[in-house]
Amino acid sequence: MKIKVAVLFGGESVEHEVSIISAKQAMEALDTEKYEIIPIYISKSRDLYCGEELRDLTQYKDMDALLAKVPQVVLVKKNQTVTIEPVKKGLFTKAINTIDVVVPVVHGTNGEDGTLQGYLEMLKIPYAGCDVVAAAVGQDKVVMKHMFETAKLPITPWFWFYGHEFEDKKDEYLNKAKELGYPLVLKPACLGSSVGIVIAHNEEEFIEGVEEAGTFDFKIVVEKMVDNLREINCSVLGSCFSAKASVLEEVGKNDEILSYKDKYQGGGSKGAKSQGSKGMASTTRIVPAPVSEEQTKKIQELALEAFHLLGSSGVCRIDFMMNGKTDEIMINEINTIPGSLAFYLWSPVDVDFTALMDELIRIALERHRKKEKMTFSYDTNLLQNYSESGSKGAKGSKS
């Protein structure tokens, strides 16, 4: 019997279209001999839709027409089974399908940040990728950097603040910026795909950058820009129980930092076979990265340490910054659901995209089995003896 795999994608995020492309690639990579593939699209208004038409990218050119063809659905937990049911029901309406495991390919806000993971936890269904805490930390650059600092992992000098406080504390933050030294990189704390990122070379550009980044998030991260920047990435596959690091890539860029256009409208790979796909896989990159064996080993070790520190699971991509002159290496961030699931970093070590998807599903099912053996609650008869008269709870009761 085939395993029923629901692939969730879309979502209310600036990375909505990226998610659709990534999910298309993931579904094509799944082995149809092993799995029954169920596409579930999350619209920008957070409604769920299910139907085979969702696997055809050309259908998305007319979104209204597409959503008129496929039913809006809800996920319903019945005992130990999760079913997909249409929102509009008739007298003889039946469930569309059941789900054995979920593969989330939802990038950014309300998908990659623990929100969707919490929903799946409530449904008590196995799902691939990071759990609620790891996903949330991986999305919030402020919390992530504090964790990296505490663990003494190398990061570039930085500070952060709430955007709404800037006007009242402008001098304080401008002084901090001056002390850090221009140029500086300003980022929304909880966004991805290089959206909302600004480079400030002076005070005027810093103030403009605060306004730009602040339109995407309440929290703004400010980082010292790395001189002679080289961007090196490493993927990690596994869980807290066992994990391995991929080969490295060096990502090309046309601007001072890797932009959204570089990531998703790039010029393709160098030093690796073309994958024939779009999305992050189309970025100009060199695989393996032209760095020394010693640097490769150090980056791989740091990637595994960051992955383990967050309690990550599935496949992640950890992005690094290297000073091209001094070779100093710093962790930039972890991507818990990387574009294209970083399949291009595993192909050189004979883990093709299909094998990668197999491993993601295996890890998801294994983690679920381990959690099922854990104790989260226990039976008590507290409410059987409960009385409203004179009861103030354990802390408020008198002896």
Side-chain angles (χ1 to χ4, degrees):
M1 184 180 295
K2 294 182 180 181
I3 297 174
K4 296 181 178 181
V5 181
V7 179
L8 266 62
F9 59 97
E12 185 186 30
S13 163
V14 295
E15 299 174 85
H16 182 93
E17 286 74 17
V18 177
S19 172
I20 295 171
I21 294 169
S22 298
K24 164 73 172 176
Q25 294 168 339
M27 287 186 282
E28 287 181 344
L30 282 166
D31 185 347
T32 55
E33 294 295 316
K34 296 180 182 179
Y35 310 112
E36 180 180 341
I37 304 165
I38 307 166
I40 299 179
Y41 167 73
I42 306 173
S43 72
K44 291 184 179 181
S45 57
R46 305 193 198 184
D47 297 317
L48 306 184
Y49 294 85
C50 183
E52 280 300 305
E53 293 90 343
L54 295 168
R55 297 181 63 176
D56 182 0
L57 285 183
T58 63
Q59 298 278 344
Y60 292 87
K61 293 178 180 179
D62 188 341
M63 188 64 75
D64 291 337
L66 172 59
L67 298 187
K69 295 177 186 176
V70 294
Q72 185 179 343
V73 299
V74 291
L75 304 186
V76 179
K77 184 177 183 296
K78 296 181 178 179
N79 298 319
Q80 300 303 311
T81 303
V82 174
T83 62
I84 305 170
E85 300 189 1
V87 170
K88 295 181 180 179
K89 296 182 179 180
L91 184 61
F92 302 104
T93 301
K94 295 181 180 180
I96 294 174
N97 214 330
T98 58
I99 303 174
D100 295 320
V101 61
V102 173
V103 178
V105 194
V106 185
H107 304 298
T109 311
N110 297 319
E112 192 177 351
D113 58 3
T115 304
L116 180 58
Q117 289 74 13
Y119 175 54
L120 297 173
E121 290 281 358
M122 285 295 294
L123 291 172
K124 213 170 184 180
I125 188 168
Y127 61 92
C130 290
D131 65 10
V132 177
V133 174
V137 173
Q139 185 70 10
D140 190 320
K141 295 177 180 66
V142 172
V143 179
M144 182 199 311
K145 285 178 179 292
H146 279 305
M147 287 191 68
F148 288 163
E149 276 187 320
T150 301
K152 301 189 185 308
L153 296 180
I155 60 173
T156 188
W158 73 293
F159 68 92
W160 74 277
F161 56 91
Y162 287 108
H164 69 272
E165 295 179 338
F166 183 69
E167 282 303 316
D168 292 336
K169 301 180 179 180
K170 182 180 289 187
D171 290 341
E172 176 185 339
Y173 295 132
L174 288 176
N175 284 335
K176 278 191 173 185
K178 186 177 180 180
E179 289 172 9
L180 218 55
Y182 294 100
L184 298 171
V185 181
L186 288 83
K187 303 177 180 179
C190 298
L191 231 60
S193 289
S194 301
V195 175
I197 295 181
V198 176
I199 298 175
H201 300 85
N202 51 53
E203 275 195 7
E204 183 180 352
E205 291 181 1
F206 185 90
I207 294 169
E208 292 173 355
V210 170
E211 185 175 345
E212 171 68 13
T215 62
F216 295 99
D217 201 339
F218 295 127
K219 291 191 285 188
I220 297 172
V221 173
V222 181
E223 299 172 346
K224 173 68 176 174
M225 188 166 177
V226 177
D227 292 332
N228 308 292
L229 176 64
R230 295 177 66 186
E231 299 191 42
I232 312 292
N233 300 336
C234 178
S235 179
V236 175
L237 175 63
S239 67
C240 63
F241 302 102
S242 176
K244 56 186 177 181
S246 72
V247 301
L248 308 185
E249 65 168 339
E250 179 166 6
V251 185
K253 57 189 185 298
N254 297 311
D255 301 314
E256 290 178 277
I257 58 173
L258 189 67
S259 66
Y260 183 96
K261 183 176 180 180
D262 288 327
K263 284 185 175 182
Y264 302 110
Q265 299 171 358
S269 303
K270 294 181 180 179
K273 291 182 180 179
S274 172
Q275 303 293 342
S277 56
K278 303 295 183 181
M280 184 64 181
S282 70
T283 304
T284 301
R285 57 169 45 83
I286 303 173
V287 182
V291 298
S292 70
E293 186 176 336
E294 181 182 357
Q295 291 166 334
T296 296
K297 185 178 179 181
K298 181 177 180 180
I299 290 172
Q300 288 174 329
E301 288 174 349
L302 287 170
L304 286 166
E305 193 171 348
F307 184 90
H308 190 267
L309 177 67
L310 269 64
S312 305
S313 186
V315 65
C316 296
R317 192 188 74 241
I318 296 86
D319 298 347
F320 292 83
M321 299 179 291
M322 178 186 286
N323 185 312
K325 285 189 177 179
T326 66
D327 289 340
E328 182 182 6
I329 296 166
M330 288 153 282
I331 298 179
N332 184 18
E333 63 184 22
I334 185 170
N335 295 272
T336 56
I337 304 180
S340 304
L341 300 176
F343 70 84
Y344 44 84
L345 291 177
W346 292 100
S347 298
V349 289
D350 297 325
V351 180
D352 64 19
F353 204 170
T354 296
L356 178 64
M357 296 303 296
D358 280 343
E359 187 66 4
L360 288 181
I361 291 169
R362 185 196 67 78
I363 293 168
L365 295 172
E366 180 186 62
R367 179 178 63 184
H368 189 74
R369 283 192 293 267
K370 288 180 183 294
K371 288 186 71 173
E372 288 290 284
K373 295 178 182 178
M374 297 177 70
T375 301
F376 292 101
S377 64
Y378 56 91
D379 294 329
T380 68
N381 64 352
L382 179 64
L383 296 178
Q384 292 179 357
N385 301 318
Y386 177 77
S387 172
E388 291 189 9
S389 59
S391 175
K392 296 182 179 179
K395 292 185 178 179
S397 61
K398 296 180 180 180
S399 57

